[in-house]
Amino acid sequence: KDFAGRTAFVTGGANGIGLGLARALLDEGCKVAIADIREDSLEAALKTLDNRNVMGVKLDVASREGYARTADEVEEQMGPVSLLFNNAGINLFQTIDESTYDDWDWVLGVNLHGVINGIQTFVPRMKERGLGGHIVNTASMASFLCGPAPGIYNCSKFAVRGMSESLRYSLAPQGIGVSVLCPGLVKSYIYASDSVRPENLANRGTPENQAFTDQLANVHQYGMEPDEVAAKVLDAIRANRFYIFSHPEFKEELQEVFDEIIAAFPPMGDLDDNAKQRLEFEKG
Ligand code: NAI
């Protein structure tokens, strides 16, 4: 795919992976809108990017109305968006059994509904224009691998992966590619997600564990550079590749998960006539 001259919309574009993506896209000659809930970060990002082809817009991706309004504003100023990066996300380290409705609403509101809003807003526009394009949804290795603590996060990222895969098949005939980005640890500010939690969803199941947050901040210094992740994303778009695994070290763990799944299947030799009919239908 050719990047030059295209307009890209990057959510959560003021920090971390999103900012890396914005930088890489600008280098390729794209016009880039970075949409983020944090005005201070937007201001700082625009300063570091220092490019006349970028605009910053304040957006809470969880807001349907806000999303559509922002899309109109961006397209009016920068032309039709044909590269969409549903990347904004937050994390909450807490088990599901200790979570409140506010915890669910916040994490799913941003990580899942934020992506849904991106798709609901931009896909009809992309289809109508018939110019093709590409959508990258940022999931995580947590869309495959679960732990006890990021329970709702796991749930949101599994959903993003599933949604992306279904969308991949439905949009292929329109020439719109879809990829799912599944990174491991990346240098970013996601450990400080609590700072963007809205007041109307403040009821946390467990108080923030400051010692753990400090530890996370510390470990993030060993994260992959966002620019390295972004380069891998652009390569994947060029090749129209669905899965984007940036971190090679997860391969064995993923293999163990799939081995467990395959080992849990009854043997194929047990197929009776009904099962054979079902198989024919399911394959068709
Ligand atoms: P980050 O915190 O550095 O950047 C995320 C950006 O999203 C921030 O600028 C933040 O202000 C913005 N944001 C948060 N809530 C928002 C909302 N409601 N509306 C609009 N913008 C909002 O974090 P990072 O790591 O760059 O996160 C980007 C994506 O990467 C997320 O979806 C995250 O789940 C995913 N990811 C990150 C990993 C990591 O180790 N950093 C690993 C795997 C996935």
Side-chain angles (χ1 to χ4, degrees):
K1 274 192 176 99
D2 211 3
F3 288 99
R6 284 186 178 265
T7 301
F9 190 89
V10 185
T11 69
N15 284 300
I17 298 173
L19 184 54
L21 286 168
R23 213 176 350 253
L25 291 160
L26 285 167
D27 284 350
E28 290 292 330
C30 289
K31 287 179 270 179
V32 182
I34 52 173
D36 204 286
I37 200 167
R38 282 188 66 155
E39 273 175 304
D40 57 339
S41 297
L42 276 172
E43 222 171 279
L46 291 177
K47 257 190 211 147
T48 44
L49 292 171
D50 188 27
N51 191 307
R52 65 187 170 83
N53 284 327
V54 63
M55 80 184 272
V57 275
K58 187 177 182 211
L59 169 67
D60 176 355
V61 291
S63 157
R64 290 179 183 175
E65 298 74 28
Y67 210 121
R69 216 179 320 115
T70 306
D72 289 344
E73 190 188 327
V74 164
E75 294 200 315
E76 215 172 270
Q77 292 198 38
M78 305 196 105
V81 168
S82 61
L83 297 170
L84 171 63
F85 297 85
N86 289 310
N87 168 77
I90 40 108
N91 206 343
L92 176 67
F93 282 91
Q94 188 171 275
T95 61
I96 283 177
D97 53 289
E98 288 178 326
S99 295
T100 61
Y101 276 123
D102 276 5
D103 293 326
W104 280 102
D105 288 347
W106 179 45
V107 180
L108 293 188
V110 179
N111 290 8
L112 176 56
H113 284 273
V115 181
I116 294 171
N117 293 341
I119 286 161
Q120 289 291 113
T121 305
F122 281 113
V123 167
R125 299 176 191 217
M126 286 173 154
K127 280 170 69 173
E128 197 185 312
R129 289 169 188 144
L131 300 170
H134 206 97
I135 300 171
V136 178
N137 296 329
T138 304
S140 168
M141 280 313 301
S143 73
F144 289 95
L145 306 170
C146 288
I152 305 179
Y153 184 81
N154 276 139
C155 178
S156 70
K157 296 299 186 180
F158 269 64
V160 167
R161 176 162 66 86
M163 185 204 313
S164 306
E165 191 162 355
S166 179
L167 202 59
R168 165 199 195 184
Y169 300 122
S170 64
L171 292 183
Q174 322 275 339
I176 302 170
V178 178
S179 301
V180 65
L181 171 60
C182 302
L185 205 64
V186 179
K187 239 179 234 175
S188 83
Y189 296 102
I190 199 157
Y191 57 82
S193 289
D194 251 23
S195 65
V196 289
R197 184 165 178 151
E199 276 177 21
N200 64 323
L201 297 175
N203 181 25
R204 260 193 86 135
T206 56
E208 186 179 8
N209 180 340
Q210 195 53 50
F212 180 65
T213 306
D214 291 347
Q215 213 183 327
L216 265 183
N218 192 36
V219 90
H220 263 262
Q221 68 177 300
Y222 305 110
M224 188 175 277
E225 290 293 339
D227 289 344
E228 190 179 342
V229 179
K232 294 181 181 191
V233 172
L234 265 54
D235 281 350
I237 297 175
R238 280 189 196 96
N240 197 15
R241 197 158 6 93
F242 177 67
Y243 288 114
I244 313 175
F245 291 113
S246 43
H247 290 54
E249 65 268 27
F250 284 98
K251 196 171 176 180
E252 282 181 11
E253 210 175 331
L254 206 55
Q255 179 76 55
E256 282 168 23
V257 171
F258 285 112
D259 285 350
E260 185 184 350
I261 291 171
I262 296 301
F265 272 82
M268 275 291 268
D270 292 349
L271 290 191
D272 58 21
D273 283 348
N274 281 347
K276 283 179 191 151
Q277 292 290 334
R278 289 196 302 271
L279 185 64
E280 214 163 286
F281 172 74
E282 282 153 9
K283 275 190 169 167

